[in-house]
Amino acid sequence: MNYKAQLSSDIPVTDPKQDAYGFAGFASNLAKAIRVTPSPHGLVMAINGPWGAGKSSLLNLVKFDLQTIRENDCPIIIEFNPWWFNGRDQLASQLLSQFGAKLRNESATLLKIGELMAEYSGALSKAVALSTGTPWIDKPVNALMKLLKRKTKDVPQLKAEIAQLLQTSARRVLFIIDDLDRLTPDEIREVFKVVKALADFPNVIYLLSFDKLVVAEALAKSLNVDGNAYLEKIVQASFALPAVDRPRLQRKFFADLDALIDSLPAAKFDSTYWGNVYLDGLDHFIRKPRDIIRLINALAVTYPPVAGEVNPVDYIALEFVRVFLPAAYEAIRDNKEMFTGVIGRAGPEREAIAEFHQRWLGALNERDRAPVKALMERLFPKVESAIGRMGYGSDFLPLWRQELRVCSPDLFDIFFQFGVPDDHLTQAELTKFLELSSDLPVLIETLKAAKRVARSDGRSKARDYVDRLSQLGPDDIAAQQAERLIEAVFTLDEDLLTATDDRGGTMRIPNSWRVMWLLNHLLERIPEAGRAGLLRRCIREGQSYSTMINVVGRLGEAVSDPSKRKDWMAGIDDATVLDLKAAVVSRLDAADLRLLLTSDDAGLVLFNWSSWSDPAPLRARLALAIEDDALLTVLLPKFLGTGTVQALGDRVARTTYHIDPRDLERYFDLEHLLTRTQALLPILQADSLAKIAVERYARGMERMRAGLPTARGVFDDED
């Protein structure tokens, strides 16, 4: 996937067109006050607001408004950044230096003021030191005086000259000092002392911005005084940053989020689900503009690699948790089994899961607990089942997988990996695959190629296609696409999946089940009037006899037991089922018997073949077939049943095998088959499945002759 992570560097806005929070009007009023306040003498104004609330943006909007008027009416703006400097000496010298330098660069009149300001600073330094208790100011001011090579004049005379020039100047001077709350307590103290000592000049205004709580606490710590009272003595006009209402914050966040989501491939965005998730838990976390920047920056990096592979609402919600509550995020990430899937309505498992969620939710800040709990119940139905009132059955699992939800056990890990694993069939691959469905030969070759791609757990990529296609919603696959896929399965069934696709321990799902689930799902997409005709064509032209038998066999079961009738069977009557059975038998009669008997589904084929037709001709053909040693060696293991036995103390179960001779009675003369299999023993490799099959068949015959049970399981534990 090609994408570019668009990150915001948290740069304040500089133009009212960028103002998303309604600061421009207040900034304009503040700029007007700076311009028209009569004869300000060292007026100190302050903007108060918490970190990340937009103070720097407001200051920029004030500057923008001031700079749009005539130059002579615009104050001379001096921006002082105290956090750029270390130590008290630098803070004082840099403030004085910027004041003088700015004035000298403006005009001839102001050049004179700048030079006098430098000279005045030198003469004033001792007085400032005495009045403020800051003898350190001598050092930088005297250095500046030496640089300018001016002789010190009388302090009152210098002050009078500077004041007269500033009073008669057409320009005001505006000092802007931002982010004072970033400084250490001692540095904050020194900045305020310099402002207090040097601010008393006509037409000079200071505009400061800081978090009042932080600065007052710092002053109290550094000066051992009441910090708020100290600020009141220095700041003549204090303004709180205009409050940003929640609707404005929401609009800004949604606009930024839309810009990110719309630029990327995405799964279907459920607006109703998004609204519920946002209002349940996410809105709680957005309190100031910087919160939005943090979230959008996080999503700009983590979401693009998984776009289209995860539910976007769930992903956004989890990023909220990761950014604002890292400990809660880790609790989710590290406990997959507690969040995904479904649980029963009662019992020890439910109680254990409920206790787990109550424990980690209880560890949260009380202010965050309720919204996080509501959010978890939205994202994870298992949580809602454990600590809420709702219950969900396993029939919801395919729907959650289809919707790419984080509560799906199949998808949970991807939400926390910040990328799609190589073993994951992506939505882009699935979409491209469906686009191939108009060309049946290409579709078949794609599935064959997928079968050759092995995943890390042994399954094939073809199984991923089968599973994902089985989970598609009715709007995700057209009838024509479904028809081509059905034709492909009827062509490929035996060659569609691998033996390792069939594995899975106690939760093993046979390949035949997976394929049948897929066919059921696809047939539901075919109009009822066209289903019988499509099945006839697939039986006539297909190559997979097991698929033919499985589909028609289930139709036959529904004829005898209407409770087994499924949605995909609608439009197929009983007479059509009989015709389809006859068509399958016709294909089997004409097929290569050796090919049928060596297939993995030989038992299924023989059972239905003999059930749907006269078994006598088939028995005659099989009697000849078992005279072939090589064929019999392959055929008999097809009837092996397996089981497991685990003795007390064993950590691993042992595989057992059995053959019930009665299962073969309809196809073979059992005594003749015993004679033929016994004749094979000398040529069979020890421990081979063929030898095990011959031995188990012989044992079954012994039990049958003795009148003992021969069904599966009755002698699995015998060696």
Side-chain angles (χ1 to χ4, degrees):
M1 180 188 302
N2 294 321
Y3 65 91
K4 294 181 179 179
Q6 302 286 331
L7 298 182
S8 169
S9 57
D10 199 8
I11 297 176
V13 302
T14 58
D15 189 309
K17 294 178 182 178
Q18 303 167 336
D19 177 31
Y21 303 114
F23 291 163
F26 177 69
S28 181
N29 292 334
L30 192 57
K32 182 177 180 180
I34 291 169
R35 293 198 314 270
V36 304
T37 297
S39 303
H41 277 68
L43 175 64
V44 179
M45 309 169 76
I47 304 298
N48 168 44
W51 287 340
K55 299 186 298 295
S56 298
S57 292
L58 179 63
L59 294 181
N60 282 345
L61 294 175
V62 170
K63 289 189 294 180
F64 182 92
D65 194 273
L66 290 172
Q67 291 166 348
T68 57
I69 61 177
R70 282 190 318 117
E71 182 178 352
N72 288 340
D73 294 331
C74 175
I76 298 168
I77 299 174
I78 304 173
E79 296 185 68
F80 181 62
N81 302 311
W83 58 93
W84 287 357
F85 314 108
N86 293 319
R88 298 177 299 178
D89 291 358
Q90 284 196 29
L91 285 173
S93 63
Q94 289 298 328
L95 187 143
L96 294 170
S97 176
Q98 287 191 32
F99 197 172
K102 184 71 174 180
L103 295 178
R104 290 197 303 273
N105 291 333
E106 286 291 329
S107 66
T109 303
L110 295 175
L111 173 62
K112 177 66 174 177
I113 300 175
E115 292 180 346
L116 288 175
M117 177 62 72
E119 188 172 347
Y120 172 71
S121 298
L124 190 65
S125 62
K126 293 187 181 296
V128 171
L130 291 174
S131 64
T132 64
T134 53
W136 49 265
I137 204 169
D138 281 339
K139 182 178 178 182
V141 171
N142 286 330
L144 184 61
M145 286 298 301
K146 291 178 181 178
L147 179 64
L148 297 173
K149 298 180 180 180
R150 298 296 302 266
K151 294 181 179 180
T152 304
K153 294 184 179 181
D154 179 70
V155 170
Q157 179 186 349
L158 278 170
K159 182 175 181 181
E161 288 185 44
I162 294 171
Q164 179 64 31
L165 289 172
L166 286 171
Q167 186 72 46
T168 58
S169 171
R171 306 286 297 281
R172 294 184 173 189
V173 177
L174 174 65
F175 260 105
I176 295 179
I177 305 179
D178 191 10
D179 288 336
L180 282 173
D181 41 24
R182 294 189 188 182
L183 302 175
T184 66
D186 287 346
E187 289 171 336
I188 291 174
R189 176 196 67 196
E190 301 308 336
V191 170
F192 274 101
K193 283 190 173 184
V194 171
V195 170
K196 181 180 178 182
L198 303 179
D200 189 18
F201 284 105
N203 283 325
V204 174
I205 300 172
Y206 285 81
L207 179 58
L208 317 178
S209 86
F210 49 79
D211 183 331
K212 187 175 181 180
L213 292 176
V214 174
V215 168
E217 183 179 345
L219 291 171
K221 180 179 180 181
S222 182
L223 294 171
N224 197 26
V225 298
D226 184 331
N228 286 308
Y230 187 90
L231 282 173
E232 289 175 3
K233 291 180 181 180
I234 296 178
V235 178
Q236 290 86 48
S238 180
F239 305 95
L241 189 72
V244 182
D245 57 39
R246 300 206 69 78
R248 283 184 183 273
L249 285 171
Q250 289 173 0
R251 286 196 295 272
K252 172 61 173 170
F253 175 61
F254 294 162
D256 289 353
L257 189 61
D258 285 344
L260 173 64
I261 298 295
D262 291 346
S263 66
L264 297 164
K268 182 179 179 181
F269 195 95
D270 186 332
S271 298
T272 301
Y273 180 52
W274 164 245
N276 289 332
V277 168
Y278 183 82
L279 294 175
D280 270 355
L282 305 188
D283 185 62
H284 164 78
F285 293 103
I286 297 183
R287 300 183 175 276
K288 55 184 182 293
R290 185 163 292 162
D291 295 335
I292 296 174
I293 293 172
R294 292 177 64 196
L295 283 164
I296 295 299
N297 278 349
L299 287 165
V301 172
T302 64
Y303 181 66
V306 297
E309 307 305 322
V310 296
N311 185 289
V313 176
D314 286 2
Y315 195 86
I316 293 166
L318 286 172
E319 282 297 272
F320 265 80
V321 179
R322 186 177 69 83
V323 169
F324 294 110
L325 296 172
Y329 181 83
E330 292 174 4
I332 301 169
R333 181 196 62 196
D334 298 340
N335 294 279
K336 176 180 179 178
E337 70 285 354
M338 294 293 183
F339 289 89
T340 63
V342 297
I343 55 174
R345 293 185 177 275
E349 179 194 18
R350 183 188 183 92
E351 294 172 3
I353 294 174
E355 181 183 352
F356 167 81
H357 289 298
Q358 289 164 354
R359 184 169 61 252
W360 78 266
L361 286 169
L364 296 177
N365 183 295
E366 185 176 356
R367 183 177 66 87
D368 298 324
R369 197 172 301 145
V372 172
K373 177 178 178 291
L375 180 61
M376 292 301 101
E377 291 182 351
R378 284 284 183 189
L379 298 182
F380 300 102
K382 192 171 193 176
V383 178
E384 187 179 11
S385 297
I387 62 179
R389 298 180 179 178
M390 289 294 292
Y392 297 86
S394 58
D395 53 325
F396 279 89
L397 291 173
L399 176 63
W400 296 335
R401 178 61 178 80
Q402 177 185 326
E403 294 176 347
L404 307 180
R405 293 281 305 279
V406 66
C407 58
S408 168
D410 294 341
L411 294 173
F412 179 86
D413 294 334
I414 297 177
F415 281 81
F416 300 91
Q417 293 173 344
F418 305 129
V420 181
D422 293 338
D423 283 1
H424 179 75
L425 182 67
T426 68
Q427 191 67 29
E429 287 180 294
L430 186 62
T431 300
K432 184 177 181 180
F433 177 79
L434 288 172
E435 292 172 353
L436 299 174
S437 59
S438 59
D439 191 329
L440 183 59
V442 174
L443 188 66
I444 290 172
E445 289 304 314
T446 302
L447 288 171
K448 286 182 177 180
K451 180 182 178 181
R452 297 191 292 269
V453 178
R455 302 304 202 188
S456 58
D457 62 357
R459 76 183 191 279
S460 73
K461 187 176 182 180
R463 200 192 92 173
D464 291 340
Y465 276 119
V466 170
D467 290 346
R468 291 290 297 278
L469 289 168
S470 300
Q471 296 158 349
L472 291 179
D475 296 332
D476 297 325
I477 183 167
Q480 185 179 8
Q481 291 174 319
E483 183 175 331
R484 295 287 87 77
L485 286 166
I486 291 169
E487 292 173 346
V489 173
F490 269 86
T491 300
L492 282 174
D493 185 0
E494 285 89 347
D495 294 322
L496 181 55
L497 299 175
T498 69
T500 53
D501 290 330
D502 209 329
R503 295 175 184 170
T506 58
M507 299 301 293
R508 169 181 172 269
I509 299 176
N511 285 340
S512 59
W513 291 14
R514 292 183 186 279
V515 173
M516 197 62 214
W517 290 343
L518 174 60
L519 287 172
N520 293 354
H521 192 66
L522 295 173
L523 282 164
E524 289 178 0
R525 302 297 303 131
I526 305 300
E528 289 184 19
R531 289 175 186 169
L534 173 60
L535 290 177
R536 286 192 184 95
R537 188 172 74 250
C538 288
I539 291 171
R540 183 175 64 249
E541 300 174 359
Q543 302 301 317
S544 174
Y545 299 103
S546 61
T547 302
M548 301 175 196
I549 290 171
N550 274 323
V551 172
V552 177
R554 279 165 175 73
L555 287 169
E557 291 173 359
V559 169
S560 57
D561 184 357
S563 66
K564 295 182 178 180
R565 181 168 285 275
K566 306 297 182 183
D567 291 343
W568 66 271
M569 299 176 181
I572 302 176
D573 57 25
D574 296 352
T576 301
V577 174
L578 291 176
D579 289 342
L580 293 175
K581 286 184 176 180
V584 174
V585 170
S586 178
R587 286 298 309 275
L588 293 172
D589 287 342
D592 182 338
L593 184 61
R594 175 179 289 273
L595 180 65
L596 294 176
L597 297 182
T598 55
S599 72
D600 291 338
D601 296 307
L604 173 72
V605 170
L606 291 177
F607 178 82
N608 288 279
W609 191 358
S610 64
S611 299
W612 296 349
S613 63
D614 181 359
L618 176 58
R619 282 178 64 91
R621 294 180 65 183
L622 291 174
L624 293 175
I626 64 171
E627 297 303 318
D628 183 332
D629 288 353
L631 181 58
L632 182 56
T633 301
V634 175
L635 175 61
L636 193 62
K638 305 295 183 185
F639 296 95
L640 267 177
T642 60
T644 58
V645 171
Q646 190 165 359
L648 184 65
D650 285 348
R651 299 176 66 88
V652 179
R654 177 168 53 88
T655 301
T656 61
Y657 300 93
H658 63 271
I659 288 182
D660 186 348
R662 300 185 190 280
D663 291 340
L664 306 178
E665 198 168 18
R666 64 193 303 162
Y667 315 121
F668 307 103
D669 179 305
L670 296 183
E671 292 295 339
H672 180 63
L673 181 61
L674 179 61
T675 300
R676 286 290 302 123
T677 56
Q678 293 297 302
L680 293 176
L681 280 175
I683 65 171
L684 296 178
Q685 184 177 353
D687 298 326
S688 66
L689 282 179
K691 185 169 185 179
I692 292 173
V694 169
E695 292 172 346
R696 293 303 186 268
Y697 178 63
R699 185 174 298 168
M701 288 294 291
E702 290 174 7
R703 295 182 67 87
M704 189 175 72
R705 288 168 178 164
L708 298 174
T710 58
R712 175 179 177 176
V714 297
F715 57 93
D716 283 355
D717 58 343
E718 297 180 12
D719 290 330

